[in-house]
């Protein structure tokens, strides 16, 4: 399946899980803004990448999330390749979780909260497991303090999965 056909698939998957999907948001699409510490930017065209997996984050964040991967990431997931190869890029989109007013068992994305990016470059990011991190709020990189916690959290919880939380939803 070609990547530009996948956004409708993401909608269908989320809808089948009880989510109502609103199209047209492009929050975080400012590829010139680089994250502090890592210098990671939001990849152009990331909204057309394939879905790795949807997720829901309970309190206190109360978010709906979708993780997308570039072609390198998707191939690695499908082949079960660990560690992920250099060139892997993952994008996590997050929205506030809102109860649907039209359908009581459905959720809808509310306000966009963040776009988070992980970039695999084992030489450039050797001190952080080969990964660079970017967290973007309202099209702007979050502050340095928020980026300092990225690797520590991944290292503490998912070191055995090449520091990546998200598992592939086939």
């Amino acid at each position: 399946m070609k990547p530009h056909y996948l956004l409708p698939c993401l909608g269908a998957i989320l809808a089948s899980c009880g989510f109502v999907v609103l199209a047209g948001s492009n929050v975080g699409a400012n590829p010139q803004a680089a994250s502090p510490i890592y210098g990671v930017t939001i990849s152009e065209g990331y909204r057309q990448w394939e879905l790795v997996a949807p997720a829901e984050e309970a309190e206190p964040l109360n978010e709906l999330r979708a993780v997308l991967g570039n072609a390198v990431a998707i191939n690695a997931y499908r082949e079960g390749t660990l560690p992920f190869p250099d060139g892997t890029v993952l994008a996590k989109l997050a929205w506030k979780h809102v109860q649907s007013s039209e359908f009581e068992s459905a959720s809808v994305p509310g306000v966009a909260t963040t776009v988070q990016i992980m970039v695999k470059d084992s030489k450039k990011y050797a001190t952080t497991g080969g990964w660079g991190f970017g967290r973007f709020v309202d099209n702007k990189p979050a502050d340095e303090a928020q980026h300092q916690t990225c690797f520590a959290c991944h290292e503490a919880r998912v070191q055995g999965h090449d520091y990546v939380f998200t598992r592939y939803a086939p």
Side-chain angles (χ1 to χ4, degrees):
M1 196 175 273
K2 295 192 181 208
H4 63 279
Y5 295 123
L6 295 172
L7 206 47
C9 292
L10 171 60
I13 291 166
L14 292 175
S16 71
C17 295
F19 300 118
V20 177
V21 179
L22 304 175
S25 175
N26 200 22
V27 173
N30 183 359
Q32 292 76 34
S35 67
I37 302 172
Y38 302 99
V40 169
T41 60
I42 296 175
S43 302
E44 189 172 332
Y46 74 99
R47 292 294 298 255
Q48 284 72 51
W49 291 353
E50 288 192 52
L51 176 69
V52 173
E56 184 174 9
E57 179 73 29
E59 295 297 334
L61 296 178
N62 196 28
E63 292 179 334
L64 299 176
R65 297 174 173 187
V67 176
L68 309 176
N70 69 355
V72 176
I74 296 301
N75 288 337
Y77 272 111
R78 287 185 179 145
E79 295 172 8
T81 303
L82 282 180
F84 287 91
D86 283 357
T88 295
V89 184
L90 300 171
K92 178 171 61 178
L93 290 69
W95 304 267
K96 278 302 193 186
H97 180 254
V98 175
Q99 182 68 42
S100 170
S101 61
E102 293 88 13
F103 186 52
E104 65 189 43
S105 64
S107 301
V108 297
V111 174
T113 58
T114 62
V115 173
Q116 297 177 44
I117 306 289
M118 285 180 67
V119 176
K120 183 70 180 258
D121 183 328
S122 58
K123 291 179 182 166
K124 184 174 183 178
Y125 304 116
T127 61
T128 52
W131 291 97
F133 300 87
R135 178 181 169 93
F136 301 85
V137 179
D138 293 329
N139 296 326
K140 298 175 193 89
D143 62 35
E144 187 171 329
Q146 289 180 333
H147 283 87
Q148 288 174 343
T149 63
C150 294
F151 181 64
C153 183
H154 287 251
E155 182 179 38
R157 293 175 173 86
V158 285
Q159 188 171 358
H161 196 258
D162 194 22
Y163 307 101
V164 176
F165 284 98
T166 305
R167 300 307 189 267
Y168 186 59

